[in-house]
């Protein structure tokens, strides 16, 4: 009993100790990569050929995802504070729900899928709910959100913010430039691979669906 009490006290002390913003964003970025992108990298491995270029594509995807997510998390938390935490929490829960549908129904989170989501009534959507989906959301989405909201964050100075943001941006741009020879491969596989990148798949494709819906429903201009 005393050991459990000591562990709880240590855990409380860790939560009360302000954490460096850089470390928080690195943890969130690594967690997003590991927890939600197994389907993405499985698809990448199925579509690449062997050799150095195939290995370079996989490594590049890892670096790009880590850098991009780090930049976005850093930006949201430094500028948004509690609002940033709420946005990140929303994406973590959304990632968990999308991962469930990808693993269970082999769904692609593209523009058409987002159109189905927005056009589905609650009575129809409720048929897809299951305990497995709830566990996905609780374990992969809600628990990390609780950790994020409980952690006190040391945001640091504006110079540190600019330096970390610049380093991650330079790394991201450098890897993209280093993949000039893979532009055709990326373009050919963009639809399928892009539908498995969290949270960008459902965010970007929601915008794409809205623009498509707006274009299709605009009033006809009479000549």
């Amino acid at each position: 009993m005393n050991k459990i009490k000591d562990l709880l006290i240590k855990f409380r002390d860790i939560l009360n100790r302000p954490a460096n913003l850089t470390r928080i964003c690195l943890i969130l970025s690594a967690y997003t990569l590991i927890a939600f992108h197994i389907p993405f990298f499985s698809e990448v491995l199925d579509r690449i050929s062997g050799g150095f270029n195939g290995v370079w594509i996989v490594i590049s995807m890892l670096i790009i995802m880590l850098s991009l997510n780090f930049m976005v998390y850093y930006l949201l938390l430094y500028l948004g504070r509690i609002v940033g935490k709420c946005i990140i929490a929303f994406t973590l829960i959304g990632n968990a729900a999308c991962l469930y549908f990808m693993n269970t129904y082999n769904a692609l989170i593209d523009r058409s899928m987002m159109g189905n989501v927005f056009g589905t009534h609650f009575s129809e959507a409720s048929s897809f709910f299951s305990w497995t989906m709830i566990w996905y959301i609780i374990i992969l989405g809600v628990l990390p959100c609780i950790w994020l909201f409980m952690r006190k964050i040391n945001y640091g100075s504006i110079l540190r913010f600019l330096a970390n943001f610049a380093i991650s941006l330079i790394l991201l741009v450098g890897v993209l430039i280093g993949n000039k020879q893979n532009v055709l491969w990326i373009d050919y596989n963009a639809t399928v691979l892009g539908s498995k990148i969290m949270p960008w798949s459902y965010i970007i494709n929601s915008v794409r669906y809205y623009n498509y819906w707006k274009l299709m429903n605009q009033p006809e201009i009479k000549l």
Side-chain angles (χ1 to χ4, degrees), residues 100-101 105 120-130:
Y100 165 78
F101 281 101
Y105 302 105
T120 301
H121 297 291
F122 178 79
S123 58
E124 298 172 332
S126 60
S127 62
F128 292 100
F129 292 160
S130 68

Side-chain angles (χ1 to χ4, degrees), residues 35-94:
F36 302 115
H37 289 95
I38 292 177
F40 172 82
F41 283 102
S42 297
E43 193 72 40
V44 170
L45 291 174
D46 287 340
R47 291 171 177 266
I48 61 174
S49 57
F52 174 78
N53 190 57
V55 175
W56 171 239
I57 288 175
V58 175
I59 294 175
S60 298
M61 294 296 178
L62 287 168
I63 296 174
I64 289 171
M65 285 190 179
L66 285 171
S67 301
L68 183 59
N69 286 330
F70 175 84
M71 285 172 56
V72 173
Y73 289 146
Y74 204 96
L75 191 66
L76 286 172
L77 289 176
Y78 189 86
L79 299 180
R81 308 298 164 103
I82 187 64
V83 175
K85 286 186 177 183
C86 291
I87 295 173
I88 293 172
F90 172 80
T91 62
L92 291 175
I93 294 173

Side-chain angles (χ1 to χ4, degrees), residues 36-209:
F36 302 115
H37 289 95
I38 292 177
F40 172 82
F41 283 102
S42 297
E43 193 72 40
V44 170
L45 291 174
D46 287 340
R47 291 171 177 266
I48 61 174
S49 57
F52 174 78
N53 190 57
V55 175
W56 171 239
I57 288 175
V58 175
I59 294 175
S60 298
M61 294 296 178
L62 287 168
I63 296 174
I64 289 171
M65 285 190 179
L66 285 171
S67 301
L68 183 59
N69 286 330
F70 175 84
M71 285 172 56
V72 173
Y73 289 146
Y74 204 96
L75 191 66
L76 286 172
L77 289 176
Y78 189 86
L79 299 180
R81 308 298 164 103
I82 187 64
V83 175
K85 286 186 177 183
C86 291
I87 295 173
I88 293 172
F90 172 80
T91 62
L92 291 175
I93 294 173
N95 292 350
C98 288
L99 182 65
Y100 165 78
F101 281 101
M102 282 194 292
N103 288 341
T104 305
Y105 302 105
N106 199 27
L108 297 179
I109 314 300
D110 54 11
R111 188 185 70 182
S112 299
M113 173 59 69
M114 297 313 300
N116 293 333
V117 170
F118 292 126
T120 301
H121 297 291
F122 178 79
S123 58
E124 298 172 332
S126 60
S127 62
F128 292 100
F129 292 160
S130 68
W131 280 108
T132 304
M133 180 181 180
I134 293 173
W135 283 118
Y136 264 75
I137 292 174
I138 291 175
I139 295 174
L140 297 178
V142 175
L143 291 181
C145 294
I146 294 174
W147 171 82
L148 177 61
F149 278 97
M150 291 181 69
R151 286 312 309 260
K152 294 181 178 180
I153 301 177
N154 178 13
Y155 293 95
S157 64
I158 185 64
L159 291 178
R160 178 180 294 180
F161 165 75
L162 294 174
N164 286 332
F165 193 83
I167 291 171
S168 56
L169 180 61
I170 292 170
L171 183 61
L172 178 63
V173 173
V175 174
L176 290 174
I177 293 174
N179 276 276
K180 290 187 295 184
Q181 73 276 15
N182 295 314
V183 170
L184 293 177
W185 182 90
I186 294 172
D187 182 66
Y188 179 77
N189 296 286
T191 301
V192 175
L193 295 181
S195 68
K196 296 177 181 287
I197 300 176
M198 304 295 160
W200 310 107
S201 57
Y202 57 87
I203 293 175
I204 294 175
N205 283 307
S206 293
V207 176
R208 291 182 64 223
Y209 171 75

